[in-house]
Amino acid sequence: MATVLVCDDLPLAREAMRRMVAAVPGVTRVVGAGSGEEALQRWPVERPSLVIMDVRMPGIGGVEAARRLLARHPEANVLMATMAEDGDGVARAVAAGARGYLVKDVSREELATAVLQALQDVSRRRGGGRTRAVLTGRAPVLTEREQQVLVGMSRGRSNAEIGRELFLSEDTVKTHARRLFRKLEAADRAQAVAVGFRWGLVR
């Protein structure tokens, strides 16, 4: 039983995301906000299990809204929504505490996976369980290929696109991705990129 708050200043984009999120199993309610300011106002009222926040919006913008939200409500669960090349905005939001990101043209399957993983993280925190992607000890050591795959992910590239850029098959990219997920203790792309930004493995 989860409520998700979708924040995007473009009504059509917001409605498209709302419809996709509403179809995710376990999501019972999706509410919208048209600005970072509105998201900050609505969060204490709605207490959503997850916020999907557009990185670039008029006003204070998504990154600053995420920073303020997480400063006021550390228990908030935030995923950033971004265009493929907005690595700087994602990095700043992750540094402020966002758990990761979604590329705006994400497939329904990828969206469902990211949303379900984020909601599971909420359940683990409430139950006292240990969340993944906690930074302890030394930074993981990635191979050159794993590093290249992680950088591609941070730029919103699909496995097929990463493969074309690196002259690798899509299956080989998936193998490198699975290995770097294990090293970063990440369950999905969003967590892998988030941990990568926090460790300084991608910029």
Side-chain angles (χ1 to χ4, degrees), residues 22 67-68 97 132 136 167 176 187 200:
R67 187 194 69 77
R68 293 186 191 183
R132 299 176 69 87
T136 57
F167 303 101
H176 288 306

Side-chain angles (χ1 to χ4, degrees), residues 5 12 46 52 54 85 88 98 103 106 111 119 123-124 155 171 176 189 195 199:
L5 172 62
L12 289 177
E46 304 290 350
I52 300 177
D54 187 16
E85 294 294 343
D88 180 61
V103 178
V106 66
L111 174 74
L119 295 177
S123 298
R124 280 197 293 269
R155 294 173 178 168
D171 285 342
H176 288 306
R189 277 173 162 248
V195 174
W199 278 121

